[in-house]
């Protein structure tokens, strides 16, 4: 590697990105002070009363905090695992399809839901899952009693995870399909000559080639372990399923925005950011160890 | 390559400048400005005064004639012609939650428009944060005699709600007391068809609901009708809510009331609530209440879709869901009843706070009196006391007034009801009515009182006749003794409200036993309720 001469124009190209980063990520950091204040908007950062760690204390004293944390972790981890497995399997299956137009149209169809908003999808889901909706009519055909899916704590988390996977897996599939096309075809040819079956080819060539991609995406998604998806749950939940569906974000929305406790809401946000930050560092270390993934 | 640089640099500059220019310069408050404006409540400024205002919008509303817009319509032109005041809608959002949230964000970032209409919670918040102009002088000098008279009918209660440390910090609305009771709206055509009496007692209601479910009142041969719909948002005071069932048992959730011993207590934890919950639970289990009421996205879908023939709602329902219901099924004939009646023939109900929305003015604007002048002009226009208001088309939703709070007699609904009913019966001449009612009467008569002919003229007529009729009956109204917020409430309400909502809902839907109520009461006391109660007692000077 010869050392490049200093290229001014390349650095200039960085400028818009850096400006945006400073404006929208660094400057708002000053808002973190709200987490340690009893924030009164009109008084602003400078004149609001400082309360130290009171907001955090309050958060841990809340009777609901254990349930909320559990729900958040349960739903988020469920989503991470399902969103890892389903796209890989689907990409492998789609990869076996030899009809080009079919492959392409299936791919397009499955990643379309990614672009729909949860507001619309929640409406469709509520209709499908209602007592006289399509699902219950099918169940009714077998003579079973209708189930109130969205009012039942045993069903709610799986509906949340399931619908999220249905919405996002097509989009995740694209990454794996790209990785699959990057595998050297001569490997398969050599394996076929050696008499490997399709299953053996999958096991000894495809999966090992995909391994770095899978590990990378899995470790990077660890940073989302406290994000269970506000949009989705907010549009689907109701007081009946607070026990199983109320997550940190929805609770903060109700406590912070509706009951005007900005300090508390910011404290929670900060706590989430700190935890996510630590997790991202850990996952980055893991990623560099297992998948040779490095930024620097 | 050079071109690239220029483009990049230019774009970076635009981004930086674009963000920088949103930093507003704080206008210098001018102390002298108000003195320059003569004390005339309907003063017309020699030069245009522009006020920025927050405005909730209803995208569903189709009442504007074509060519008119939210910020340029008959109402904005009327205000502008009379006073030379222009409103600039600097903060808009869909009415309801989205708007409230946007206002909250504006308050939080201390970037508020000159004028807003806010609720009590926001008002207190802004007063505490020192964001508001003191309107004491402005009210004294500029409020019109008409507006002052209206406030007099509340015995000073309304203004007191907006007064902090003897300073008037906002212009309060006056909530018509008739808005509070939830009457039983019921389809007379279904009752007639099934040969049923109008329900009076609580058991009558259950019997009618049962008949509406089982006897196919809509005659389509399918078992697709339901009894009572419920409220997905707030099962006591929301749309379709059961407030009247609760008050029948003397239960007033969320109210601060006196118990038998005369001390102030919280309504949600009183033993009467348990009776009401037991009854609703029984009804739900028997299938009389919509099985999915907690999950509905739209409370009124069953009513407007012709699937339900009864629900609880205030007198103005023809303006709301009934408009859709009669449009979808012209045969439907809805009446409002004071039911369930107690054993001694009274209708227990609740009252609403005398004021619940407030016009607030940002501290330090140049013409705070312009807000009062605009309010005076709006009131005169809306009540029709200004002769020029004749040319206003009353089919247009009054929500399009640029700055609107309802200021009128606290007993306005019954007054208007009596006028209109007497005129239709021929006991009164139309011209003896107030201009607003003359208009409503003339338009309704012109269209034969027929919703199919012109829904817009039928809605006010029907609300003021049939809808507000039960308001004249023997009402037994309970008052909420305390409507503001204490320190502990600020901290604990999120938890306590969640618990209350969950417990009530689960008991009614049979997901928890009735005894869960007792557990809730204890939990409520333990998790801050006791402290809140003592704070409220202190605030009430007990």
């Amino acid at each position: 590697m010869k050392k490049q001469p200093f290229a001014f124009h390349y650095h200039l190209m960085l400028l818009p990105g850096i400006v945006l980063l400073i404006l929208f990520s660094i400057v708002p950091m000053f808002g973190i002070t709200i987490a340690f204040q009893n924030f009164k908007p009109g008084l602003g950062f400078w004149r609001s009363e400082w309360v130290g760690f009171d907001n955090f204390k309050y958060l841990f004293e809340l009777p609901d905090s254990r349930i909320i944390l559990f729900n958040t972790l349960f739903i988020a981890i469920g989503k991470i695992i399902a969103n890892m497995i389903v796209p890989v399997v689907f990409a492998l299956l789609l990869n076996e399809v030899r009809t080009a137009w079919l492959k392409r149209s299936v791919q397009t169809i499955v990643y379309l839901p990614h672009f729909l908003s949860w507001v619309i999808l929640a409406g469709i889901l509520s209709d499908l899952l209602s007592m006289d909706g399509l699902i219950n009519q099918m169940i009714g055909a077998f003579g079973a009693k209708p189930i109130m899916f969205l009012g039942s704590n045993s069903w709610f988390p799986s509906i949340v995870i399931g619908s999220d996977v249905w919405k996002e897996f097509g989009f995740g599939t694209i990454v794996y399909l790209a990785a699959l096309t990057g595998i050297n075809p001569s490997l398969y040819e050599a394996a076929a000559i050696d008499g490997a079956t399709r299953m053996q080819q999958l096991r000894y060539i495809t999966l090992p080639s995909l391994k770095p991609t899978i590990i990378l995406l899995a470790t990077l998604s660890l940073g989302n372990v406290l994000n269970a998806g506000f949009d989705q749950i907010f549009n689907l939940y109701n007081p009946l399923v607070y026990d199983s569906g109320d997550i940190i974000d929805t609770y903060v929305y109700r406590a912070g925005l509706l009951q005007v406790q900005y300090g508390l809401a910011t404290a929670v946000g900060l706590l989430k950011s700190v935890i996510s930050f630590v997790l991202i560092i850990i996952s980055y270390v893991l990623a560099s160890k297992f998948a040779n993934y490095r930024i620097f | 390559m050079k071109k690239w640089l220029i483009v990049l640099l230019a774009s970076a500059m635009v981004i930086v400048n674009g963000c920088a220019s949103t930093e507003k310069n704080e206008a210098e408050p001018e102390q002298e400005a108000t003195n320059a404006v003569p004390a005339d409540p309907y003063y017309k400024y020699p030069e245009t005064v522009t006020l920025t205002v927050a405005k909730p919008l209803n995208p569903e509303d189709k009442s504007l004639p074509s060519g008119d817009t939210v910020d340029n319509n008959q109402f904005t032109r009327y205000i502008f012609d009379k006073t030379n005041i222009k409103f600039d809608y600097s903060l808009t959002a869909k009415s309801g939650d989205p708007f409230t949230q946007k206002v909250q964000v504006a308050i939080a970032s201390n970037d508020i428009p000159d004028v807003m209409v806010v609720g009590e919670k926001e008002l207190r918040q802004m007063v505490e944060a020192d964001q508001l102009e003191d309107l004491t002088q402005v009210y004294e000098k500029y409020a019109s005699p008409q507006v002052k008279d209206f406030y007099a009918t509340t015995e000073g209660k309304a203004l007191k709600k907006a007064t902090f440390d003897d300073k008037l910090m906002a212009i309060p609305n006056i909530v018509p007391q008739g808005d509070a009771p939830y009457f039983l709206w019921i389809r007379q055509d279904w009752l007639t068809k099934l040969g049923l009496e109008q329900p009076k007692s609580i058991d009558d209601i259950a019997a009618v609901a049962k008949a509406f479910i089982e006897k196919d009142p809509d005659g389509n041969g399918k078992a697709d009708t339901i009894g009572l719909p419920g409220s997905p948002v707030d099962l006591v005071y929301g749309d379709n809510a059961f407030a009247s069932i609760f008050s029948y048992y003397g239960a007033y959730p969320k109210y601060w009331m006196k118990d038998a011993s005369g001390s102030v207590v919280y309504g949600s934890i009183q033993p009467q609530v348990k009776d009401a919950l037991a009854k609703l639970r029984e009804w739900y289990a028997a299938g009389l209440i919509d099985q999915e009421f907690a999950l509905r996205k739209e409370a009124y879908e069953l009513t407007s879709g012709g699937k339900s023939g009864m629900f609880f709602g205030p007198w103005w329902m023809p303006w709301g869901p009934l408009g859709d219901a009669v449009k979808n099924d012209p045969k439907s004939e809805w009446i409002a009843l004071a039911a369930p009646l107690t054993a001694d023939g009274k209708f227990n109900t609740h009252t609403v706070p005398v004021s619940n929305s407030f016009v607030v003015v940002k501290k330090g604007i140049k013409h705070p009196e312009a807000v009062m002048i605009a309010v005076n002009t709006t009131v005169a226009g809306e009540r029709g006391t200004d002769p020029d208001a004749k040319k206003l088309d009353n089919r247009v939703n009054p929500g399009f007034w640029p700055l609107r709070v309802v200021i009128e007699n606290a007993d306005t609904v019954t007054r208007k009801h009596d006028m209109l009913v007497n005129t239709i019966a021929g006991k009164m001449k139309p011209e003896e009515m107030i201009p607003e009612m003359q208009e409503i009467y003339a338009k309704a008569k012109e269209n034969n009182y027929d919703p199919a002919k012109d829904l817009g003229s039928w809605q006010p007529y029907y609300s003021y006749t049939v809808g507000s009729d039960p308001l004249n009956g023997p009402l037994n109204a309970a008052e909420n003794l305390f409507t503001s917020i204490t320190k502990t409430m600020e901290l604990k309400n999120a938890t306590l409200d969640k618990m209350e909502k969950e417990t009530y809902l689960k008991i009614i839907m049979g997901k928890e036993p009735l005894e869960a109520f007792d557990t809730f009461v204890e939990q409520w006391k333990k998790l801050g309720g006791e402290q809140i109660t003592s704070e409220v007692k202190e605030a009430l000077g007990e």
Side-chain angles (χ1 to χ4, degrees):
Chain A
M1 261 308 252
K2 203 175 72 189
K3 192 157 175 5
Q4 294 266 335
F6 180 78
F8 178 69
H9 56 271
Y10 287 135
H11 288 78
L12 200 66
M13 281 180 174
L14 268 178
L15 189 68
I18 288 179
V19 168
L20 284 177
L21 188 76
I22 288 174
L23 277 179
F24 293 107
S25 302
I26 311 283
V27 173
M29 286 258 199
F30 291 106
I32 288 176
T33 49
I34 296 176
F36 305 98
Q37 291 178 333
N38 178 7
F39 184 71
K40 295 272 187 286
L43 302 174
F45 302 144
W46 308 112
R47 292 188 292 153
S48 286
E49 163 199 9
W50 289 90
V51 294
F53 280 93
D54 279 7
N55 287 323
F56 294 91
K57 277 201 206 102
Y58 175 70
L59 185 70
F60 289 112
E61 283 167 4
L62 277 177
D64 302 325
S65 62
R66 206 173 313 145
I67 300 174
I68 294 163
L69 188 67
F70 173 79
N71 291 340
T72 310
L73 288 172
F74 184 84
I75 292 173
I77 291 172
K79 279 184 182 178
I80 287 172
I81 292 172
N83 274 325
M84 199 164 74
I85 295 170
V86 177
V88 173
V89 173
F90 191 78
L92 291 174
L93 293 173
L94 201 60
N95 201 37
E96 300 298 321
V97 176
R98 288 283 162 257
T99 333
W101 64 265
L102 182 70
K103 190 171 164 180
R104 205 161 299 145
S105 41
V106 167
Q107 196 185 323
T108 311
I109 289 165
V110 293
Y111 91 84
L112 270 184
H114 169 80
F115 296 99
L116 291 176
S117 92
W118 273 117
V119 180
I120 296 167
L121 280 180
I124 296 172
L125 268 177
S126 318
D127 273 356
L128 282 177
L129 298 169
S130 75
M131 299 283 277
D132 46 12
L134 196 65
I135 311 275
N136 269 320
Q137 282 175 14
M138 285 186 202
I139 297 173
F142 294 105
K145 271 206 157 100
I147 302 166
M148 200 187 286
F149 289 102
L150 290 176
S152 140
N153 281 313
S154 46
W155 280 98
F156 193 75
S158 25
I159 290 170
V160 167
I161 294 168
S163 56
D164 185 69
V165 169
W166 173 82
K167 183 171 182 289
E168 299 300 336
F169 84 91
F171 205 73
T173 303
I174 294 174
V175 179
Y176 294 110
L177 279 176
L180 286 171
T181 46
I183 301 172
N184 189 344
S186 61
L187 291 174
Y188 289 112
E189 284 159 22
I193 288 166
D194 288 344
T197 60
R198 292 297 289 164
M199 275 326 268
Q200 284 170 318
Q201 285 178 24
L202 179 85
R203 193 173 150 192
Y204 293 106
I205 301 166
T206 316
L207 281 178
S209 316
L210 277 184
K211 194 177 116 184
T213 317
I214 296 175
I215 289 179
L216 172 67
L217 288 177
T219 45
L220 289 183
S221 63
L222 274 183
N224 277 331
V225 81
L226 289 178
N227 288 328
F230 173 82
D231 292 3
Q232 179 191 10
I233 291 178
F234 181 71
N235 284 305
L236 283 173
Y237 82 156
N238 60 68
L240 283 176
V241 289
Y242 280 169
D243 284 345
S244 66
D246 203 13
I247 55 168
I248 294 177
D249 291 343
T250 49
Y251 189 86
V252 167
Y253 162 80
R254 292 201 311 271
L257 265 182
L258 302 183
Q259 310 269 351
V260 286
Q261 301 177 47
Y262 302 115
L264 174 72
T266 315
V268 176
L270 181 61
L271 199 65
K272 273 182 65 179
S273 303
V274 169
I275 292 174
S276 299
F277 180 70
V278 170
L279 284 169
I280 284 179
I281 298 285
I282 292 173
S283 60
Y284 177 68
V285 170
L286 291 177
S288 67
K289 214 170 172 155
F290 293 113
N292 288 325
Y293 171 84
R294 280 193 183 79
I295 309 176
F296 307 112
Chain B
M1 192 53 83
K2 282 269 163 61
K3 265 190 194 160
W4 264 105
L5 296 188
I6 292 165
V7 171
L8 275 180
L9 266 178
S11 63
M13 297 292 275
V14 167
I15 291 167
V16 174
N17 279 332
C19 292
S21 64
T22 55
E23 302 266 322
K24 282 210 181 70
N25 295 329
E26 288 296 318
E28 291 286 311
E30 290 193 30
Q31 290 304 323
E32 303 305 307
T34 46
N35 304 341
V37 179
D40 169 6
Y42 301 109
Y43 182 68
K44 184 168 180 174
Y45 286 88
E47 279 163 26
T48 302
V49 174
T50 305
L51 296 169
T52 52
V53 65
K55 189 80 191 152
L57 302 173
N58 178 3
E60 305 293 308
D61 193 294
K62 304 275 188 288
S63 65
L64 279 178
S66 65
D68 275 5
T69 59
V70 283
D71 49 6
N72 179 8
N73 57 53
Q74 58 171 11
F75 298 129
T76 58
R77 290 191 291 269
Y78 176 87
I79 298 277
F80 183 71
D81 293 345
K82 298 236 152 227
T83 63
N84 221 343
I85 298 171
K86 225 169 121 171
F87 285 93
D88 168 10
Y89 293 176
S90 64
L91 187 161
T92 54
K94 184 169 178 281
S95 50
D97 264 355
F99 180 75
T100 321
Q101 281 162 36
K102 216 164 165 180
V103 167
Q104 282 289 359
V105 171
I107 296 173
S109 54
N110 203 10
D111 179 16
I112 53 174
D114 299 344
V115 196
M116 296 200 281
V117 181
V118 296
E120 187 169 1
K121 193 162 64 181
E122 288 89 359
L123 170 69
R124 292 184 163 273
Q125 214 183 325
M126 292 163 89
V127 168
E128 233 174 83
D130 197 21
Q131 286 170 303
L132 300 181
E133 183 74 25
D134 175 359
L135 299 175
T136 319
Q137 293 296 325
V138 169
Y139 178 80
E140 282 303 317
K141 257 175 95 171
Y142 295 96
S144 64
Q146 182 187 23
V147 167
K148 285 184 172 165
D149 284 349
F150 281 138
Y151 283 129
T153 63
T154 69
E155 293 145 21
K157 276 188 190 163
L159 290 173
K160 203 173 133 197
K161 260 200 169 306
T163 306
F164 298 82
D165 294 336
D166 299 326
K167 294 196 194 94
L168 185 69
M169 301 307 281
I171 302 164
N173 70 339
I174 299 176
V175 179
Q177 282 307 310
D179 284 3
Y182 277 72
F183 298 124
L184 180 67
W185 282 92
I186 196 159
R187 278 185 73 162
Q188 183 59 53
D189 54 320
W190 282 12
L191 287 175
T192 315
K193 186 174 168 185
L194 304 180
L196 297 164
E197 294 284 307
Q198 292 178 354
K200 285 192 178 60
S201 73
I202 199 149
D203 295 332
D204 293 349
I205 295 178
V208 170
K210 201 166 152 65
F212 278 2
I213 296 168
E214 292 168 357
K215 299 205 171 146
D216 191 24
D218 57 352
N220 66 352
K222 285 202 215 83
D224 58 353
T225 44
I226 63 138
L228 264 177
S231 170
V233 179
D234 176 350
L235 60 93
V236 189
Y237 301 113
D239 299 337
N240 289 335
F242 301 129
S244 296
I245 304 284
F246 281 91
S247 49
Y248 169 82
Y249 289 99
Y252 297 93
K254 293 255 181 343
Y255 270 42
W256 291 91
M257 51 195 262
K258 290 208 155 116
D259 67 359
S261 67
S263 59
V264 175
V265 291
Y266 187 52
S268 299
I269 59 167
Q270 297 314 303
Q272 304 92 294
V273 174
K274 201 171 170 180
D275 304 337
L277 289 173
K279 178 52 84 176
L280 289 166
R281 180 189 169 92
E282 180 192 316
W283 283 5
Y284 185 86
L288 304 182
I289 295 173
D290 171 27
Q291 296 295 293
E292 281 186 282
F293 76 90
L295 312 179
R296 299 260 172 220
K297 289 271 171 273
E298 199 45 67
Y300 292 128
E301 62 185 88
L302 294 163
T303 303
S304 46
K307 294 273 172 278
S308 100
M310 59 203 291
F311 69 99
F312 287 103
W315 67 276
W316 50 267
M317 285 288 109
W319 256 307
L322 291 186
D324 285 334
V326 296
K327 203 160 52 187
N328 295 337
D329 184 1
K331 290 197 306 293
S332 62
E333 184 201 341
W334 291 86
I335 51 161
L337 303 172
L341 295 174
T342 53
D344 55 0
K346 284 227 176 66
F347 181 65
N348 278 354
T349 181
H350 58 285
T351 54
V352 280
V354 60
S355 302
N356 60 7
S357 62
F358 302 85
V359 178
V360 292
V361 180
K362 181 173 156 185
K363 201 178 181 116
I365 68 165
K366 197 168 166 187
H367 286 292
E369 79 289 340
V371 175
M372 194 72 236
I373 291 169
V375 169
N376 296 336
T377 315
T378 307
V379 172
E382 237 197 309
R383 302 281 80 84
T385 42
D386 172 33
D388 292 348
K390 282 257 184 295
K391 61 176 193 281
L392 293 173
D393 179 353
N394 80 343
R395 279 172 307 184
V396 181
N397 186 328
F400 286 112
W401 282 99
L403 180 63
R404 177 175 186 254
V405 273
V406 176
I407 297 179
E408 58 160 310
N409 297 310
D411 59 353
T412 181
V413 184
T414 39
R415 284 191 195 203
K416 289 176 180 171
H417 164 87
D418 297 346
M419 276 181 218
L420 193 55
V421 169
N422 286 337
T423 309
I424 291 173
K427 291 184 201 156
M428 215 169 131
K429 290 196 182 70
E431 49 273 20
E432 289 171 29
M433 293 196 288
I434 55 170
E436 185 189 355
M437 295 316 286
Q438 290 182 23
E439 190 76 2
I440 288 174
Y441 171 72
K443 288 230 163 75
K445 196 173 165 196
E446 192 183 316
N447 290 302
N448 250 336
Y449 311 113
D450 180 6
K453 238 175 134 171
D454 179 26
L455 193 64
S457 66
W458 174 84
Q459 287 170 314
Y461 143 78
Y462 208 73
S463 301
Y464 279 123
T465 51
V466 176
S468 46
D469 197 39
L471 283 170
N472 288 333
L475 298 183
N476 193 6
E479 201 180 343
N480 190 356
L481 302 173
F482 183 83
T483 53
S484 60
I485 292 183
T486 70
K487 206 171 169 60
T488 311
M489 277 189 199
E490 269 180 34
L491 286 173
K492 310 278 181 178
N493 261 0
T495 311
L496 297 177
D497 286 355
K498 172 180 163 177
M499 208 164 60
E500 182 175 324
K501 221 180 203 175
E502 268 184 303
T503 311
Y504 284 15
L505 199 57
K506 284 184 172 166
I507 290 176
I508 292 175
M509 294 178 80
K511 293 195 182 276
E512 293 211 345
L514 193 55
E515 287 64 49
F517 179 74
D518 305 329
T519 326
F520 154 71
V521 173
E522 274 176 31
Q523 284 285 324
W524 186 87
K525 285 181 179 160
K526 218 167 51 197
L527 295 173
E530 297 231 316
Q531 195 164 349
I532 290 175
T533 308
S534 59
E535 280 172 7
V536 171
K537 280 185 172 163
E538 198 180 320
L540 294 171
E542 292 234 334

